[in-house]
Amino acid sequence: MRFGRKALFGLMVAASMAWLPAVANASAIDATAPARSLTTDARYMQQWVVESGDHQHRPFVVVDKRAARIFVFDADGRLVDTAPVLLGQTAGDRSLHSSVSNAEVAHMPLAERITPAGRFASEPGRNLGGEAIVWFDYEAGLAIHRVRPGASQAQRLQSLAADAPTGKRASLGCVVVSPAFFDSVLQPSLGQHPGVVYVLPEDQPVQAMFGRLQPVAQSR
């Protein structure tokens, strides 16, 4: 039996419970955001997006997989907030997801549990349980969503609370955030309107995927 993409996502979320988891002006960038709030690659992407206008004046997200952090920006390129994330259990930049049956989803090979890198048009949606999510790779059944309730919830929340990027490979490929961060930061922006999600590569420099800019001046 085969499932549609939205049904597949719901099955993937359930299965993951068993695992531990025109060009814009550069002045639009939030110059008041402290340099420490952004990783070097996230700051590069902030400038790249604003200068290129690639986001088409929509809110956007940068997921820095190396740092295991998400950065949420408004339509003007200002940093709204940042938080740690849980990522696919397997490192890599290329999605290997394919349609799987109900019997197969709980046994998805570890090699396929990847959070893919790239530019994704996002849209708000809901999973099979009716919870709000943000689709970023609909064809692969991948979304940004809250930590799910269950036996491993406490441990996953504890992992998210730690700033260190280690110990955050826990999902089937989705980007997982704390419920509080989803509700207070993501839901009012990408959870209400189409946006753009930029997942940064970990197997190559970010400039190789998103072009080249002059180094971003650091705040003093």
Side-chain angles (χ1 to χ4, degrees):
M1 179 178 180
R2 297 286 173 178
F3 293 83
R5 295 296 181 182
K6 289 186 178 180
L8 173 60
F9 174 76
L11 294 171
M12 289 171 63
V13 168
S16 69
M17 295 290 293
W19 293 87
L20 286 180
V23 174
N25 190 301
S27 64
I29 295 176
D30 182 10
T32 66
R36 70 180 187 277
S37 296
L38 295 170
T39 62
T40 299
D41 285 347
R43 183 168 291 279
Y44 173 91
M45 282 306 301
Q46 178 194 35
Q47 183 172 347
W48 187 93
V49 172
V50 172
E51 288 194 350
S52 68
D54 183 78
H55 63 316
Q56 299 177 338
H57 206 68
R58 290 175 288 178
F60 64 95
V61 156
V62 173
V63 178
D64 187 336
K65 289 196 289 178
R66 291 184 181 128
R69 293 196 71 86
I70 187 171
F71 302 87
V72 180
F73 299 89
D74 66 16
D76 292 323
R78 292 185 290 259
L79 178 65
V80 177
D81 207 349
T82 178
V85 295
L86 301 181
L87 301 166
Q89 288 177 295
T90 298
D93 294 328
R94 182 178 178 184
S95 176
L96 301 175
H97 285 195
S98 58
S99 296
V100 294
S101 69
N102 187 21
E104 295 167 339
V105 68
H107 305 286
M108 180 181 292
L110 186 63
E112 295 190 11
R113 301 175 184 188
I114 292 172
T115 302
R119 178 198 186 278
F120 304 94
S122 71
E123 61 176 277
R126 292 190 177 274
N127 63 17
L128 292 182
E131 293 178 316
I133 61 175
V134 175
W135 293 107
F136 71 90
D137 190 346
Y138 181 79
E139 289 303 311
L142 298 177
I144 306 173
H145 65 80
R146 306 172 180 87
V147 172
R148 299 281 298 168
S152 63
Q153 182 184 35
Q155 185 165 354
R156 290 175 179 173
L157 290 173
Q158 185 177 14
S159 295
L160 281 173
D163 284 333
T166 56
K168 292 184 170 62
R169 298 285 182 173
S171 79
L172 295 180
C174 291
V175 175
V176 184
V177 300
S178 71
F181 187 82
F182 190 98
D183 292 343
S184 65
V185 180
L186 275 167
Q187 183 62 23
S189 56
L190 277 74
Q192 299 294 323
H193 311 283
V196 184
V197 173
Y198 300 91
V199 182
L200 307 188
E202 53 190 330
D203 290 343
Q204 61 180 314
V206 64
Q207 294 87 350
M209 179 170 286
F210 293 103
R212 295 188 177 276
L213 290 173
Q214 294 299 314
V216 178
Q218 297 294 316
S219 300
R220 295 183 181 275

